[in-house]
Every structure is written in structure tokens, then in C-alpha cells.
Amino acid sequence: MKRFLTTVMAAVAAIGFAAPKAVEFGGMEVQLKVLPAPVVEFRSKTSLHGNVSNKANREWIAIIVSFVPGVGKKGHVKALRGGWVDDVTLDVAVEVPMDGSGGRQKTAGLFTGSCKFWSIPLDGKPHTALMFIAPQLLDRYLPLNGGKYTEKLFRAQAIFRASDGAELGSAYFNFNDTPKKQALYFATLASETVIKDAVFPREKTPWALIAPGNYDLVKE
């Protein structure tokens, strides 16, 4: 019996924790929305709310990435029963108009950020990942424009990568072109102003406690 259980556990480990070949994240789409922060209520005997901020903008940018993890060729993703892929990284870049502060002319730049997941099941079902840009960063780097921003001002790129850096899937927001030209466009922007770590995983935002069971677990 002991030998049998050892054999079964080894087989499960081989399927469940080693990334199989031909992993593919299909059905990828990126949406970008301007949203107010969710209202989270709590009770405390001591009030530590701080002073009211004078920032012009109080809305966040939400980057909503939908995807279907599985195996197979592009466009033909299917589930792998019991299959998982570990240490997947989601890299997000958002093109933003800069305010030209410090004597610079107005130009475009990139806000970038990433998050790593513990494990994602290759279940062939729809998944969603959320990342955000905080209003304080929008105030710092974007034109004031009355403190109002619309989705049309931005373009976004989302790329899933395996632990070895191989691309599992990619998608773009507000940018219709061939995949090659889309990738080249964002690669070119990377030589302009880049604000690193400015796109936060859901776990580092006010959305962290909103339906956490609906999302894959972030590692870092």
C-alpha cells in the first residue's frame, strides 16, 4: 500500500506541479476602466483616517485581464485535467500622456508593473486578473485636465510569461493592429519615460478584500 501511495503521489506531482508543454493562455482580452475606490467599512475604537487629501483626481485606473489557461495550439486551448502551471508572471504596461513637468514637452510614457502567481490551473475556464494605477500617480505624472481622465487616453499591454520567460499569451487595449506591430510599439515606448512598479496587483489596492476567492493567488 505504501509503495502504491508513493507512486500515485509522484504521478500527481508530475501533472499538478510541473508545467506541461504547450501551455497556452487563450481568449485573452484587456479592458481599462476609470473607477472610484470601493468603500470598505470597518469598526475601530481609535480613528486614524488622516486628513482629507487635496489631490485633484480620486479615481483609479483598473486593468482587467481575462484569459483561459490550458494547453494546445493558439486558438485551440483545451483543459488539461489535473494540470497546473506555477510561477506565472503577468506583466502590464500602460501608455499614458505625461504632463511635461520640469521643462519637458508633453509626451507619452509608460506605467509598468507585474505580479507573480503561485499556481494557475489549466482548466480551460475563464479567469480574471486585476491590476490598478493609483490616483496619486495619475496626479503626479498626467496633465491635470480638470482631474478627469477617460479610457480613451490610454493604451495597455498585458503579457503572461512562464517561469522560464516564455510568453503564454498577450493582449492589448485600445490598439488594433497586428501582434508584431503591437509588441514593437510598446517596445519603442520603453525607451521613453518609464515609471516602474506603478501598476499594482489587486492585493495592494482597496480591492484586495473584494471577493478574493474569485482570483488566482498572487505570490509576489
Side-chain angles (χ1 to χ4, degrees):
M1 175 62 74
K2 184 177 180 180
R3 183 177 180 181
F4 172 75
L5 290 176
T6 300
T7 302
V8 171
M9 291 176 66
V12 170
I15 296 175
F17 300 101
K21 295 181 179 180
V23 172
E24 175 70 24
F25 284 12
M28 276 193 66
E29 292 184 0
V30 179
Q31 298 180 62
L32 190 147
K33 295 184 178 180
V34 179
L35 299 172
V39 177
V40 179
E41 295 184 358
F42 63 96
R43 297 177 181 273
S44 174
K45 293 182 179 180
T46 304
S47 177
L48 294 174
H49 297 298
N51 296 323
V52 176
S53 173
N54 292 322
K55 60 180 180 290
N57 172 55
R58 295 182 181 277
E59 294 187 313
W60 293 63
I61 291 178
I63 300 94
I64 306 162
V65 184
S66 57
F67 61 102
V68 177
V71 295
K73 298 179 180 179
K74 286 186 178 294
H76 297 84
V77 175
K78 59 182 180 181
L80 177 65
R81 185 176 181 181
W84 294 74
V85 59
D86 298 333
D87 295 328
V88 171
T89 299
L90 171 60
D91 294 322
V92 169
V94 179
E95 181 188 18
V96 297
M98 294 295 185
D99 68 0
S101 61
R104 299 189 305 272
Q105 293 182 349
K106 292 183 179 180
T107 184
L110 280 183
F111 282 8
T112 66
S114 64
C115 64
K116 181 182 289 186
F117 299 90
W118 276 97
S119 292
I120 296 178
L122 302 174
D123 54 13
K125 297 179 180 179
H127 291 236
T128 301
L130 302 179
M131 297 189 75
F132 297 87
I133 299 175
Q136 292 90 337
L137 292 176
L138 298 177
D139 280 353
R140 168 63 180 85
Y141 291 103
L142 273 68
L144 288 179
N145 196 31
K148 297 295 184 180
Y149 308 112
T150 65
E151 289 83 356
K152 294 180 180 179
L153 286 174
F154 308 96
R155 285 177 169 176
Q157 175 194 61
I159 301 176
F160 282 104
R161 301 185 190 277
S163 58
D164 62 359
E167 184 176 317
L168 300 177
S170 63
Y172 294 81
F173 170 80
N174 194 25
F175 188 13
N176 295 321
D177 212 322
T178 65
K180 184 176 181 179
K181 289 184 178 180
Q182 289 170 327
L184 180 61
Y185 180 84
F186 273 85
T188 302
L189 282 179
S191 64
E192 301 294 332
T193 302
V194 178
I195 312 301
K196 297 181 179 180
D197 302 320
V199 186
F200 303 126
R202 180 184 59 86
E203 285 74 4
K204 293 184 178 181
T205 73
W207 282 264
L209 299 179
I210 308 299
N214 290 357
Y215 305 96
D216 297 292
L217 183 63
V218 168
K219 189 173 186 178
E220 58 185 54

